[in-house]
Amino acid sequence: MKNGKLQVAVIGCGGIANQKHFPALSKQADKCEIVAFCDILEERAKEAADKYGADNAKVYTDYIELLKDVEIDVVHVCTPNVAHCPITVAAFEAGKNVMCEKPMAATTEDAQKMMDAWKKSGKKFTIGYQNRFRTDAQALKRACEEGKLGDIYFAKAHAVRRRAVPTWGVFPDKSKQGGGPLIDIGTHALDITLWCMDNYKPKTVTGSVFEKLGHLPEATEGNMFGPWDPKAYEVEDSAFGYIKMENGATIFLESSWALNVKDSREAATTLCGTKAGAEMIGGMSGKAYDLVINETTGGILTEEHISDTGAVAFFEGNGGGTPADKECKQWLEAILEDKEPLVKAEQAFVVTQILDTIYKAAAEGHEVQL
């Protein structure tokens, strides 16, 4: 702490840092200041420091050098997926609190190394699943906690885009990302689903991973972010998983950047319980999410719509900024007030474990037991 504020460093000053972390941290100026910026491209770090940095903010191209600064309290890891593990482990060894962008890691093995380093450090640890802070997600979580759905025994985790392959950064580079839409956006859908079910005990996993459209030049037409380079595309374009939990509950996970379907549905879940069901409808095709609770009322089947822009039945108000703003605020408060962050490391570990196992099950061609 310096001047009564947490001293924050950001490692990786690319898209997710500029779109999410820097603006959100800047809105918490009463709690923190960004004092260090690190990127392999020095100019990118300098630009971020000039725009978002505190007075005399430092710029680095080597995160090891940054972590030597004893005044830094918090590190945000915003790099490509495969770099999450070594940077996070080093940050904990240096005595820093860590927020790591999703997914936690590219593999279960790397995620376990991060967990081990965190437990030794005694510091705070969270993963960037900002979709939990959406109004509809908060409403659905509370409905589940209140037992409105009953025993949730079947769910679908939706992360489907018709044509929205990222054409910037290193998204199509398997050596840096570890995978495509499954690990990129499937991770959000699975996180929301497990969190609302409050079920983190997977038993078996099967999976199918497809590389059908990514290498087809004609498939690039109509892509939301412009045509991608089929020759440089190294990851899957769609992936699907079937997860059975220890208590018998079942989850179907669907993910794609490119799939010939009419509607897109992203960072969403469908839950089926013994008392009622719930569906999040929204994503790339819609401007806002609509949460639909379906149940029986007075002997007839009914639907209750809880819009992200309308009245909310289970969540008092939707103020406080964007989901990213709310995520950042509660993360900093968790450190300052010594309480658990909403997104727990143990939960994020299970998400990574399941995603990694879907890839393995697809490669091996059979069900994998966890």
Side-chain angles (χ1 to χ4, degrees), residues 281-328:
I281 301 172
M284 300 297 288
S285 296
K287 294 181 180 179
Y289 284 88
D290 183 22
L291 174 61
V292 182
I293 305 290
N294 61 83
E295 57 187 331
T296 302
T297 304
I300 61 173
L301 300 178
T302 60
E303 294 180 2
E304 178 184 10
H305 290 254
I306 304 171
S307 171
D308 204 23
T309 57
V312 178
F314 308 106
F315 182 60
E316 291 83 5
N318 59 0
T322 67
D325 295 338
K326 296 174 185 177
E327 174 190 55
C328 183

Side-chain angles (χ1 to χ4, degrees), residues 50-71:
D50 289 342
K51 186 174 182 179
Y52 296 104
D55 293 340
N56 301 315
K58 298 177 181 178
V59 170
Y60 299 84
T61 56
D62 182 352
Y63 71 87
I64 297 297
E65 290 301 313
L66 178 152
L67 293 174
K68 292 178 181 178
D69 187 341
V70 296
E71 291 190 344

Side-chain angles (χ1 to χ4, degrees), residues 16-324:
I16 195 64
N18 281 279
Q19 294 166 18
K20 172 185 168 183
H21 292 261
F22 291 145
L25 286 165
S26 297
K27 293 174 185 176
Q28 301 298 321
D30 61 323
K31 299 179 182 65
C32 73
E33 53 186 5
I34 314 175
V35 297
F37 298 77
C38 181
D39 198 279
I40 56 174
L41 300 177
E42 186 175 17
E43 187 58 34
R44 190 157 60 186
K46 285 182 177 178
E47 289 178 3
D50 289 342
K51 186 174 182 179
Y52 296 104
D55 293 340
N56 301 315
K58 298 177 181 178
V59 170
Y60 299 84
T61 56
D62 182 352
Y63 71 87
I64 297 297
E65 290 301 313
L66 178 152
L67 293 174
K68 292 178 181 178
D69 187 341
V70 296
E71 291 190 344
I72 292 173
D73 303 301
V74 186
V75 170
H76 282 217
V77 180
C78 304
T79 63
N81 298 338
V82 297
H84 289 181
C85 175
I87 296 173
T88 297
V89 169
F92 281 130
E93 290 175 345
K96 317 300 184 187
N97 300 285
V98 178
M99 168 180 270
C100 179
E101 252 308 318
K102 62 79 190 169
M104 185 175 184
T107 67
T108 305
E109 292 76 16
D110 278 355
Q112 187 60 60
K113 292 176 184 177
M114 297 162 74
M115 292 291 289
D116 293 342
W118 163 57
K119 291 176 181 178
K120 290 179 182 178
S121 73
K123 296 296 179 177
K124 301 294 183 184
F125 187 21
T126 195
I127 305 298
Y129 285 118
Q130 73 275 2
N131 282 289
R132 289 196 192 186
F133 294 85
R134 293 192 333 240
T135 304
D136 62 316
Q138 291 281 323
L140 179 55
K141 175 62 174 175
R142 183 169 295 186
C144 292
E145 290 177 338
E146 293 175 350
K148 188 177 180 69
L149 274 62
D151 176 26
I152 303 169
Y153 57 90
F154 178 69
K156 294 181 182 179
H158 309 282
V160 174
R161 298 177 180 177
R162 182 179 183 180
R163 286 294 189 282
V165 175
T167 53
W168 64 93
V170 297
F171 283 98
D173 188 336
K174 191 169 185 177
S175 67
K176 293 183 174 62
Q177 287 293 89
L182 179 62
I183 198 171
D184 177 46
I185 57 176
T187 191
H188 277 302
L190 183 58
D191 174 68
I192 290 176
T193 302
L194 296 175
W195 179 57
C196 287
M197 294 175 72
D198 192 23
N199 190 341
Y200 289 91
K201 295 182 177 181
K203 183 178 180 181
T204 61
V205 172
T206 56
S208 295
V209 174
F210 296 105
E211 298 181 11
K212 298 289 188 180
L213 303 183
H215 302 295
L216 296 179
E218 59 269 29
T220 70
E221 297 176 359
N223 191 52
M224 178 177 286
F225 307 114
W228 67 88
D229 182 358
K231 295 180 180 179
Y233 194 91
E234 301 176 352
V235 296
E236 81 275 4
D237 40 69
S238 61
F240 308 88
Y242 186 83
I243 306 115
K244 193 166 185 178
M245 311 303 282
E246 287 185 4
N247 70 346
T250 300
I251 300 169
F252 173 67
L253 169 59
E254 55 180 0
S255 65
S256 72
W257 282 340
L259 188 68
N260 286 322
V261 293
K262 177 180 177 293
D263 296 316
S264 299
R265 200 167 174 186
E266 186 175 338
T269 189
T270 295
L271 304 177
C272 299
T274 53
K275 292 182 179 180
E279 292 190 48
M280 288 178 169
I281 301 172
M284 300 297 288
S285 296
K287 294 181 180 179
Y289 284 88
D290 183 22
L291 174 61
V292 182
I293 305 290
N294 61 83
E295 57 187 331
T296 302
T297 304
I300 61 173
L301 300 178
T302 60
E303 294 180 2
E304 178 184 10
H305 290 254
I306 304 171
S307 171
D308 204 23
T309 57
V312 178
F314 308 106
F315 182 60
E316 291 83 5
N318 59 0
T322 67

